[in-house]
C-alpha cells in the first residue's frame, strides 16, 4: 500500500527539533517505510536529523509518502499531527 | 590547596602566528580526541567487532543521557528536558547510525574515526542550511558524537561543556577546519602543542583574526581548563595564571594593539603608492567567501590568491561543478574588488588530511599533489576548470596553476583549459573574454626555466612558502628544522630577483602571494625588486600600505643593492631589521624583540 499526501507547515517555527522529534515518534510506530519530501529532496521520515536537514519553515509544503501495510494509518496520524500544528503555537 | 591565589604563574614560549592579545580562561579542547586513536582496521574480519563496539557505546550513551534527564527533571522541571530527548533521538537516529556503520564497513576505519566522519558530515549539511536555528542543531550532533567517542574510548572522563565565547582553546593540534570552526564559535584565541609559522592552521588563524601561539610543545599538559591565561600572538607568549600586575600590563598592551590596528585601518583604502609614484597592486589571500568583506575593508584591490582546497576538504564526495561555480562566482564578482586570482586544486602536503581513500605518502609535500594530481585525474580537474571559466563571466578572473615544475605541465594544463573553454563556447555558455593564465613559481626548477614559462603565461605569482621550503630543503611541519626557514636567505632573494627580472624582460606581471608578501619588514626589499603585486593575508595590508606610502622606489633599490651584496641570511636579517626599525620606528616596536 502506498499513500502520498502533501501538507503545509503551519506552525510558526517550522519543523524545528522538538516538532521533528514528534514526527519521528509517530513515524517510528509504524512498519511502513516513510519518506518526507521537500523541493525534490527526499529523506527518511524516521530519522530526526534527516528531517531537520529539510529545513522547512512556516508555509513550506512537504509531501509524505508511506509505503507498507499500515501506510494509511501512518498517514492519518502524521497528517493529524501536522494539521494540529504539533500541539504548539 | 588549589585556590586561584596559590596557582603558580608561568610563561610558555612558542611561535606567534597570529597577532593580538587575549586575556581569558583556558579550555582544553577535544582532549579525548588526542587520546582517542584513529586507525584503520587491518582486515575485514574486524568489522563486525568494531560495529559491536560502536553499538555498545550507543547504548552506554543513551543510559547516561537518560540519567542526566532524570537528574534534570528533579532539579528543573519539564522545560529543558526536550533537548535531551532530542539528543537521545539523535543517538537512535537510523541515518546517523547507518552512516557510521557504513564508514566502518566500507572504509575499514575504527569506530572512533567513523564517528568523527559522521559528525563532520552533519556539520557540513547543517552549515549549508540558511535557517539560523537549524544551523545551530549541528552542535547537538557534535555533543552526541563526542559523548559516543568518549564512551568508545572507555568513558569515565568528565563531560565537555559547550565552548563558551570567552574561552581560549588549548589543544595538541588543530586542523585548519577546526580553526575555521573557531571563527564560527567566536573563540578568543588558541594555543597548541604542535605547528609552525606556515602551517595552514596558522594561516587560517590569521585569516580569521584569532590571536594564536603554536609550537608550545607541552601546553596541554601544563594548563588546565579554567586556568587564567594570556595569549600574546605577536610575541608568541602564553602567560598562565598571571598575577594582577601582569594582567594590567597586558591590558595596556591590548589597548595599544587595538589602537594601532585602528590606526592602520586608516591606510587601508589608500593606494599603495610610493612617494616617488611607484604603484604596487595589493591583493588579499583568502580561502573562505566569508573573508571577502574584511579583505575589502582592509584595503585589498583584488583577490591575489583564492585557495580552492577548502571546497574539497572534509567531504566524502567530490564537490560538484555547481558548488565550485557558486564559490568562484562569489569571489570574482565581490563588490569592491577588481579582480580575483583563483589557484587550482593544490591538495597535498599538510592539507591532505581528510580523505582516507587517498593513499598516505611518505613525503606528501613532494608527492602527487597540486598540478601533478590534476593532470593524472583530468576529469576531476575539468570540473574545477569549467566552473572557473563559467565564473569568469561575472568578473575579472585570473587562473593560476600551482607547483609547476616544467613546461610540459604548463602546456598540458593550458591545453585542458582550452578544451574546456571550447566546449563551453560550443554550448553557448557565457565566459569572460580575458581570463589571464599564470603559474605559481614555487618549485626551484620553475625559477631556472622561468624564461621559457614566461613565453606562455600572462603572469607569475611567487609562492614563497613552498619556494623557500624546496630551495632550502626544509620539511615545513618538522619543528626541528623550522629554524632554517629563512626568507632572507641570499639564495631565496636571488631566486626571487631572478623570477621578477625574467618576468619583466618578457613583459609579464610578477606577483607574490606567499607569507613573505605580507611581512612589513620585507616591504622595501620587495619594492626594490619592483614587484608588481603583493597579495597577503588581508590583516597585513594596512601596515604594508603604510610602509609603501612612506617609502620611495629609489631608496628601496639602494637597500636592496646593499643586502644583495651580503653573503649570509643572518647578516641580511640584522641589516634589514636595523634599517627598518630606524626608518619606521613606530611600526617595528610593537612586536617587541
Amino acid at each position: 500500500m502506498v499513500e502520498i499526501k502533501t501538507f503545509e507547515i503551519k506552525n510558526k517555527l517550522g519543523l524545528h527539533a522538538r516538532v521533528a522529534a514528534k514526527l519521528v515518534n509517530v513515524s517510528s510506530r509504524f512498519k511502513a517505510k516513510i519518506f518526507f519530501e521537500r523541493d525534490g529532496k527526499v529523506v527518511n521520515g524516521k530519522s530526526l536529523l534527516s528531517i531537520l536537514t529539510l529545513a522547512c519553515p512556516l508555509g513550506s509544503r512537504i509531501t509524505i509518502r508511506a509505503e507498507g501495510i499500515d501506510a494509511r494509518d501512518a498517514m492519518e496520524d502524521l497528517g493529524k499531527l501536522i494539521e494540529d500544528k504539533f500541539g504548539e503555537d | 590547596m588549589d585556590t586561584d591565589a596559590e596557582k603558580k604563574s608561568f610563561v610558555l614560549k612558542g611561535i606567534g602566528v597570529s597577532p593580538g592579545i587575549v586575556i581569558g580562561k583556558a579550555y582544553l579542547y577535544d582532549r579525548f580526541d588526542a587520546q582517542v586513536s584513529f586507525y584503520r582496521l587491518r582486515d575485514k574480519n574486524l568489522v563486525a567487532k568494531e560495529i559491536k563496539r560502536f553499538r555498545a557505546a550507543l547504548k552506554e550513551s543513551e543510559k547516561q543521557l537518560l540519567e542526566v534527564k532524570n537528574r534534570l527533571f528533579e532539579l528543573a522541571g519539564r522545560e529543558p528536558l526536550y533537548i535531551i530527548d532530542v539528543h537521545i533521538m539523535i543517538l537512535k537516529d537510523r541515518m546517523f547510525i547507518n552512516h557510521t556503520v557504513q564508514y566502518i564497513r566500507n572504509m575499514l576505519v575504527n569506530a572512533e574515526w567513523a564517528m568523527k566522519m559522521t559528525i563532520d558530515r552533519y556539520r557540513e549539511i547543517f552549515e549549508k542550511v540558511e535557517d539560523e536555528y537549524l544551523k545551530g542543531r549541528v552542535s547537538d550532533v557534535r555533543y552526541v558524537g563526542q559523548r559516543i567517542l568518549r564512551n568508545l574510548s572507555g568513558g569515565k572522563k568528565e563531560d565537555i561543556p559547550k565552548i563558551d565565547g570567552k574561552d581560549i582553546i588549548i589543544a595538541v593540534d588543530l586542523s585548519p577546519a577546526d580553526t575555521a570552526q573557531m571563527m564560527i564559535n567566536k573563540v578568543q584565541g588558541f594555543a597548541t602543542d604542535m605547528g609552525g609559522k606556515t602551517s595552514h592552521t596558522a594561516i587560517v588563524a590569521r585569516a580569521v583574526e584569532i590571536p594564536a601561539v603554536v609550537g608550545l610543545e607541552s601546553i596541554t599538559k601544563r594548563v588546565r581548563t579554567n586556568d587564567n591565561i594570556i595569549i600574546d600572538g605577536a610575541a608568541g607568549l602564553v602567560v598562565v595564571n598571571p598575577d594582577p600586575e601582569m594582567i594590567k600590563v597586558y591590558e595596556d598592551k591590548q589597548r595599544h594593539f587595538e589602537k594601532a590596528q585602528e590606526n592602520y585601518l586608516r591606510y587601508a583604502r589608500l593606494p599603495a603608492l610610493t612617494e616617488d609614484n611607484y604603484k604596487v597592486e595589493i591583493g588579499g589571500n583568502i580561502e573562505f567567501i566569508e573573508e571577502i568583506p574584511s579583505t575589502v575593508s582592509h584595503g585589498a584591490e583584488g583577490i591575489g590568491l583564492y585557495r580552492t582546497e577548502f571546497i574539497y576538504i572534509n567531504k566524502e564526495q567530490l564537490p560538484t561543478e555547481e558548488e565550485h561555480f557558486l564559490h568562484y562566482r562569489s569571489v570574482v564578482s565581490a563588490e569592491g574588488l577588481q579582480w580575483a586570482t583563483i589557484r587550482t586544486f593544490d591538495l597535498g602536503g599538510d592539507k591532505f588530511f581528510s580523505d582516507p581513500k587517498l593513499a598516505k605518502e611518505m613525503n606528501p609535500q613532494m608527492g602527487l599533489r597540486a598540478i601533478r594530481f590534476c593532470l593524472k585525474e583530468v576529469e576531476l580537474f575539468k570540473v574545477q576548470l569549467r566552473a572557473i571559466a563559467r565564473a569568469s563571466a561575472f568578473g575579472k578572473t585570473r587562473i593560476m596553476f600551482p607547483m609547476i615544475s616544467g613546461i610540459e605541465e604548463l602546456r598540458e594544463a593550458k591545453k585542458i583549459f582550452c578544451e574546456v573553454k571550447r566546449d563551453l563556447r560550443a554550448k553557448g555558455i557565457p565566459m569572460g573574454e580575458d581570463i589571464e593564465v599564470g603559474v605559481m613559481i614555487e618549485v626551484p626548477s620553475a625559477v631556472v626555466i622561468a624564461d621559457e614559462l614566461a613565453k606562455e603565461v600572462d603572469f607569475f605569482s611567487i609562492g614563497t612558502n613552498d619556494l623557500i621550503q624546496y630551495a632550502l630543503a626544509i620539511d615545513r611541519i618538522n619543528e626541528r628544522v623550522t629554524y632554517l626557514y629563512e626568507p632572507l636567505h641570499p639564495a631565496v632573494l636571488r631566486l626571487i630577483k631572478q623570477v621578477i627580472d625574467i618576468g619583466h624582460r618578457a613583459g609579464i606581471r610578477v606577483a607574490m602571494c606567499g607569507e613573505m608578501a605580507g611581512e612589513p619588514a620585507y616591504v622595501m626589499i620587495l619594492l626594490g625588486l619592483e614587484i608588481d603585486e603583493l597579495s597577503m593575508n588581508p590583516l597585513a595590508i594596512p601596515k604594508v600600505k603604510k610602509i609603501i606610502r612612506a617609502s620611495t622606489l629609489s631608496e628601496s633599490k639602494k637597500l636592496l643593492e646593499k643586502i644583495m651584496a651580503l653573503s649570509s641570511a643572518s647578516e641580511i636579517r640584522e641589516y634589514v631589521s636595523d634599517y627598518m626599525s630606524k626608518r619606521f620606528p613606530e611600526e617595528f616596536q610593537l612586536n617587541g624583540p
Side-chain angles (χ1 to χ4, degrees):
Chain A
M1 198 190 316
V2 179
E3 292 272 329
I4 301 174
K5 208 168 167 191
T6 299
F7 299 92
E8 190 183 331
I9 300 299
K10 290 176 183 160
N11 57 313
K12 248 189 253 156
L13 295 172
L15 284 194
H16 62 85
R18 182 178 0 201
V19 163
K22 284 182 183 176
L23 281 173
V24 173
N25 275 332
V26 172
S27 302
S28 303
R29 287 208 306 264
F30 297 95
K31 284 207 179 69
K33 285 185 179 166
I34 293 169
F35 302 96
F36 287 21
E37 190 230 299
R38 176 175 179 240
D39 293 344
K41 196 177 165 198
V42 184
V43 301
N44 187 326
K46 295 180 182 178
S47 160
L48 173 75
L49 290 171
S50 305
I51 294 176
L52 285 177
T53 60
L54 281 186
C56 300
L58 168 69
S60 56
R61 299 175 72 80
I62 59 164
T63 301
I64 300 180
R65 178 187 171 94
E67 299 174 10
I69 182 141
D70 48 4
R72 184 166 298 157
D73 293 342
M75 187 63 82
E76 197 173 308
D77 285 8
L78 287 170
K80 221 183 278 171
L81 188 61
I82 296 171
E83 294 299 332
D84 253 15
K85 299 187 195 169
F86 305 90
E88 299 199 337
D89 300 350
Chain B
M1 293 307 283
D2 205 24
T3 59
D4 276 2
E6 285 164 37
K7 277 185 182 164
K8 262 224 323 254
S9 168
F10 58 94
V11 178
L12 299 170
K13 173 97 181 96
I15 305 164
V17 293
S18 180
I21 287 162
V22 279
I23 304 167
K25 295 257 186 228
Y27 176 78
L28 277 175
Y29 174 70
D30 252 5
R31 266 191 327 161
F32 52 85
D33 249 18
Q35 290 155 8
V36 167
S37 43
F38 296 108
Y39 56 87
R40 272 164 217 285
L41 305 176
R42 278 189 315 278
D43 59 75
K44 282 200 155 67
N45 301 328
L46 296 170
V47 167
K49 196 182 131 232
E50 207 56 27
I51 292 174
K52 210 167 148 195
R53 211 160 68 80
F54 171 58
R55 294 205 184 270
L58 285 177
K59 266 237 151 61
E60 179 60 29
S61 304
E62 188 185 346
K63 209 179 96 195
Q64 292 165 352
L65 282 178
L66 284 169
E67 237 175 76
V68 174
K69 180 178 161 177
N70 291 336
R71 261 213 323 265
L72 265 181
F73 184 70
E74 288 161 18
L75 287 173
R78 280 212 66 81
E79 191 49 14
L81 292 186
Y82 101 91
I83 195 64
I84 294 178
D85 284 330
V86 168
H87 287 166
I88 293 172
M89 212 167 238
I90 292 173
L91 213 46
K92 294 166 145 180
D93 191 300
R94 53 191 72 200
M95 302 312 283
F96 181 79
I97 296 171
N98 282 353
H99 288 317
T100 313
V101 169
Q102 292 300 330
Y103 286 138
I104 297 174
R105 192 169 283 147
N106 298 341
M107 296 187 169
L108 293 180
V109 293
N110 69 339
E112 284 87 341
W113 194 340
M115 186 69 253
K116 197 155 170 41
M117 286 162 84
T118 302
I119 299 171
D120 284 346
R121 178 197 177 101
Y122 278 106
R123 177 161 68 202
E124 228 168 74
I125 294 175
F126 281 108
E127 260 165 22
K128 285 198 204 106
V129 173
E130 302 240 338
D131 185 297
E132 278 308 310
Y133 163 81
L134 287 172
K135 228 179 217 160
R137 301 287 53 82
V138 72
S139 62
D140 294 312
V141 177
R142 198 174 48 226
Y143 180 90
V144 171
Q146 290 182 343
R147 177 174 299 277
I148 296 169
L149 279 176
R150 211 158 45 234
N151 285 322
L152 277 169
S153 65
K156 293 213 189 68
K157 278 156 241 136
E158 81 275 28
D159 264 8
I160 308 273
K162 267 189 199 151
I163 294 169
D164 184 314
K166 285 184 216 78
D167 286 328
I168 293 166
I169 300 293
I170 310 296
V172 173
D173 193 15
L174 294 163
S175 72
D178 285 334
T179 317
Q181 191 61 37
M182 288 192 183
M183 167 183 66
I184 297 157
N185 288 3
K186 302 205 165 59
V187 160
Q188 300 291 299
F190 71 84
T192 61
D193 289 347
M194 314 220 285
K197 187 144 193 146
T198 54
S199 68
H200 278 82
T201 302
I203 293 172
V204 175
R206 277 191 291 282
V208 298
E209 306 187 23
I210 298 176
V213 179
V214 304
L216 287 152
E217 292 177 0
S218 62
I219 188 165
T220 51
K221 298 202 177 65
R222 305 195 54 189
V223 169
R224 282 180 293 172
T225 292
N226 275 334
D227 278 354
N228 286 318
I229 197 169
I230 297 171
I231 294 214
D232 182 340
L237 295 176
V238 176
V239 188
V240 185
N241 300 320
D243 54 46
E245 225 163 293
M246 187 81 104
I247 292 180
K248 217 172 148 293
V249 169
Y250 271 93
E251 281 170 348
D252 279 352
K253 274 197 183 189
Q254 196 175 27
R255 262 194 300 279
H256 181 73
F257 179 80
E258 278 159 14
K259 222 176 94 199
Q261 283 292 104
E262 256 169 57
N263 199 2
Y264 290 128
L265 274 179
R266 285 194 283 128
Y267 291 88
R269 301 308 301 168
L270 301 170
L273 197 64
T274 62
E275 284 181 338
D276 49 357
N277 285 325
Y278 181 75
K279 168 90 171 73
V280 186
E281 285 189 273
I282 300 291
N285 297 350
I286 64 163
E287 33 223 336
F288 305 109
I289 307 293
E290 291 78 6
E291 293 174 83
I292 292 174
S294 115
T295 307
V296 175
S297 71
H298 281 81
E301 294 152 9
I303 299 296
L305 170 62
Y306 176 51
R307 303 186 181 95
T308 57
E309 292 71 44
F310 277 76
I311 301 172
Y312 297 85
I313 275 174
N314 260 336
K315 301 212 161 142
E316 333 138 26
Q317 271 164 4
L318 289 167
T320 61
E321 182 183 323
E322 207 54 28
E323 280 174 72
H324 278 288
F325 169 69
L326 292 174
H327 280 97
Y328 303 152
R329 188 181 61 184
S330 311
V331 173
V332 303
S333 65
E335 207 173 322
L337 297 175
Q338 296 157 28
W339 82 90
T341 308
I342 300 173
R343 180 180 70 186
T344 60
F345 192 72
D346 192 25
L347 206 50
D350 60 344
K351 282 168 267 177
F352 218 159
F353 64 89
S354 74
D355 191 348
K357 277 174 291 191
L358 295 164
K360 265 264 181 283
E361 294 183 325
M362 276 299 287
N363 192 350
Q365 282 293 333
M366 299 197 182
L368 186 66
R369 56 172 276 226
I371 199 69
R372 302 168 178 180
F373 182 80
C374 291
L375 295 178
K376 273 240 163 8
E377 300 286 337
V378 175
E379 287 313 308
L380 192 146
F381 191 34
K382 279 185 174 172
V383 172
Q384 178 171 39
L385 294 178
R386 256 197 307 276
I388 295 173
R390 283 172 56 200
S392 71
F394 298 87
K396 172 74 185 158
T397 306
R398 292 175 181 148
I399 182 171
M400 69 178 168
F401 303 118
M403 233 200 154
I404 295 283
S405 64
I407 196 94
E408 288 94 348
E409 286 166 334
L410 171 62
R411 285 182 185 152
E412 185 65 23
K414 279 180 71 178
K415 196 180 112 213
I416 298 169
F417 190 45
C418 281
E419 282 168 23
V420 162
K421 283 195 291 186
R422 201 184 313 126
D423 286 353
L424 289 172
R425 208 169 291 125
K427 288 189 186 128
I429 293 169
M431 281 179 287
E433 289 298 307
D434 50 350
I435 307 175
E436 286 178 31
V437 176
V439 288
M440 290 275 287
I441 302 289
E442 51 189 340
V443 181
S445 64
V447 179
V448 179
I449 56 150
D451 53 336
E452 297 299 331
L453 295 170
K455 291 175 193 160
E456 307 197 16
V457 293
D458 302 307
F459 67 93
F460 285 156
S461 187
I462 307 173
T464 49
N465 303 14
D466 278 345
L467 184 61
I468 294 168
Q469 170 190 354
Y470 295 134
L472 303 180
I474 312 161
D475 181 349
R476 206 157 107 182
I477 46 181
N478 183 342
E479 287 148 44
R480 287 185 291 187
V481 291
T482 45
Y483 75 96
L484 285 172
Y485 186 91
E486 178 50 89
L488 297 183
H489 193 294
V492 173
L493 293 175
R494 287 183 205 186
L495 286 171
I496 294 171
K497 183 169 189 319
Q498 201 176 330
V499 175
I500 298 173
D501 290 348
I502 289 172
H504 285 170
R505 235 175 286 145
I508 64 169
R509 304 172 55 247
V510 183
M512 176 178 285
C513 66
E515 293 277 296
M516 196 175 169
E519 175 54 56
Y522 306 155
V523 166
M524 287 187 71
I525 299 172
L526 299 172
L527 278 176
L529 288 163
E530 292 186 68
I531 194 93
D532 298 299
E533 174 194 321
L534 291 172
S535 187
M536 64 199 82
N537 152 32
L539 290 188
I541 294 173
K543 195 164 177 178
V544 167
K545 275 194 177 173
K546 187 176 179 192
I547 292 170
I548 291 174
R549 291 178 60 82
S551 309
T552 62
L553 185 59
S554 52
E555 179 194 0
S556 302
K557 282 190 166 167
K558 275 193 205 113
L559 170 66
L560 179 72
E561 200 179 317
K562 192 87 195 170
I563 62 164
M564 291 305 267
L566 299 172
S567 56
S568 75
S570 45
E571 284 170 281
I572 296 176
R573 176 155 297 284
E574 201 184 312
Y575 190 86
V576 170
S577 85
D578 188 52
Y579 187 94
M580 293 303 276
S581 57
K582 281 195 186 115
R583 181 71 171 71
F584 300 96
E586 217 181 296
E587 275 65 42
F588 292 94
Q589 265 163 14
L590 194 66
N591 287 358

